[in-house]
Amino acid sequence: ADKRAPPLRAMSYRDEAGTLAATEEHDDEDDDADVDPSVALSDSEASDGEEGGSSVTTDVQSAGAAEKVEVRPIPLVLRSLFKGRPSTVWFGYAPFLEIERTEGLERTEELTDPKLLPLWFKAERNINCVAQSLKRNGFRRLLKGQTFNVFWGAHLNEKQLRRLQPNQYVNHFPGSYGVGRKDYLWKNISRMQREHPGQYDFCAKTYLLPQDRDLFERDYQEGELYIVKPPASAEGRGIRLMTKLDQAPARERAAVVQRYIDRPYL
């Protein structure tokens, strides 16, 4: 964590006059549907990428008449339990869960230092759940430039990683292919199982096709439930279940097949 990336408050907002105000939010299940009003792109954000951000509109009483004012989420920072360590951004739960995150709440405080604001995130493409979570908790989306606090996108190369500042975070660390790709992850777990069988017995039996095809067909038990995954995909794309051997991927197609665990350790 770093100084520039602090945490956030559950659902508190401040209006233009600096008065705290509460507002309701909602999430739509459909990513392409209307998004949560608290995280919708503002006009300025969509145009120049430097001034836009998360905002909501709420009713306030002024001189006896109701009027609309624009408010923004206030980031909360969570103080570290360890001396000398910086605070981190604190994320509240999404409103549709209808529960409030409380753990650590007593150690949070509003981020008000103008030198650390606003908090920016940059994304190569719009992943609705990521964008909404960041915006709901006080981040604003950066469309141009490199002054982001959080970057969400493809793996950066070595040169790009060297240019990162202490207050900048990315979603892929160097070498994360070793655990990010499903086929590489199983190769690493399988190697550790051979070296430390007692410590790595928590993973379901896994087969890498097509090289493990004969082994899979030998071990296959009719009626067992298996899960089939692409070796290098994300966000649930291409994942399916199979209950019959003839539902297995084509013989030359790359895939990861595992016994299905209906109650995994999470």
Side-chain angles (χ1 to χ4, degrees):
D2 86 85
K3 300 179 183 174
R4 202 162 166 205
L8 270 147
R9 173 142 287 161
M11 292 311 300
S12 63
Y13 295 86
R14 197 176 294 278
D15 63 24
E16 291 176 338
T19 304
L20 282 177
T23 186
E24 294 183 355
E25 292 189 321
H26 70 276
D27 281 7
D28 290 289
E29 294 181 0
D30 185 355
D31 284 354
D32 295 323
D34 294 337
V35 300
D36 185 330
S38 71
V39 297
L41 286 175
S42 67
D43 293 338
S44 57
E45 182 176 45
S47 60
D48 60 29
E50 287 289 341
E51 297 297 328
S54 167
S55 61
V56 295
T57 301
T58 186
D59 292 327
V60 297
Q61 296 294 326
S62 176
E67 63 181 47
K68 301 287 186 179
V69 296
E70 190 176 58
V71 293
R72 293 185 184 278
I74 303 171
L76 291 186
V77 292
L78 179 67
R79 296 187 298 276
S80 175
L81 290 171
F82 303 97
K83 186 177 180 179
R85 300 298 300 167
S87 299
T88 56
V89 176
W90 189 85
F91 285 84
Y93 294 143
F96 67 83
L97 295 176
E98 297 183 345
I99 57 175
E100 185 175 350
R101 181 182 175 187
T102 57
E103 72 276 17
L105 187 60
E106 71 280 358
R107 291 189 292 112
T108 62
E109 59 188 7
E110 292 181 0
L111 177 64
T112 57
D113 187 345
K115 295 179 181 179
L116 305 180
L117 292 171
L119 299 177
W120 296 103
F121 80 94
K122 188 172 185 178
E124 289 185 336
R125 62 192 182 93
N126 186 42
I127 301 177
N128 211 29
C129 60
V130 174
Q132 290 201 33
S133 178
L134 288 164
K135 289 187 173 186
R136 187 183 298 112
N137 288 284
F139 283 79
R140 297 164 64 181
R141 187 168 186 176
L142 181 70
L143 300 183
K144 299 178 182 178
Q146 301 298 321
T147 58
F148 57 81
N149 298 93
V150 173
F151 172 79
W152 193 280
H155 289 257
L156 302 183
N157 59 40
E158 182 178 351
K159 188 175 182 180
Q160 292 170 318
L161 288 169
R162 288 182 180 275
R163 286 202 295 260
L164 291 176
Q165 299 301 310
N167 64 301
Q168 294 184 306
Y169 297 87
V170 297
N171 61 322
H172 293 295
F173 57 83
S176 62
Y177 281 114
V179 294
R181 282 184 56 123
K182 299 174 183 67
D183 51 352
Y184 292 172
L185 175 61
W186 172 245
K187 288 179 180 178
N188 287 321
I189 290 179
S190 181
R191 184 175 68 251
M192 296 306 291
Q193 284 180 337
R194 293 192 295 271
E195 297 179 8
H196 309 282
Q199 286 71 45
Y200 285 82
D201 60 351
F202 54 82
C203 189
K205 181 65 175 176
T206 303
Y207 306 87
L208 301 184
L209 305 185
Q211 58 265 43
D212 291 340
R213 183 78 183 212
D214 292 340
L215 180 62
F216 170 62
E217 292 183 354
R218 186 197 70 188
D219 293 346
Y220 178 81
Q221 297 182 18
E222 195 69 38
E224 288 279 347
L225 186 60
Y226 293 83
I227 186 168
V228 182
K229 311 173 186 178
S233 190
E235 301 170 21
R237 291 190 294 267
I239 295 178
R240 62 184 177 86
L241 299 178
M242 58 170 284
T243 56
K244 298 179 180 179
L245 190 56
D246 59 11
Q247 296 173 336
R251 181 160 288 275
E252 298 304 319
R253 184 174 181 180
V256 177
V257 179
Q258 293 177 303
R259 287 186 184 277
Y260 182 79
I261 300 176
D262 60 347
R263 295 177 64 86
Y265 295 128
L266 294 177

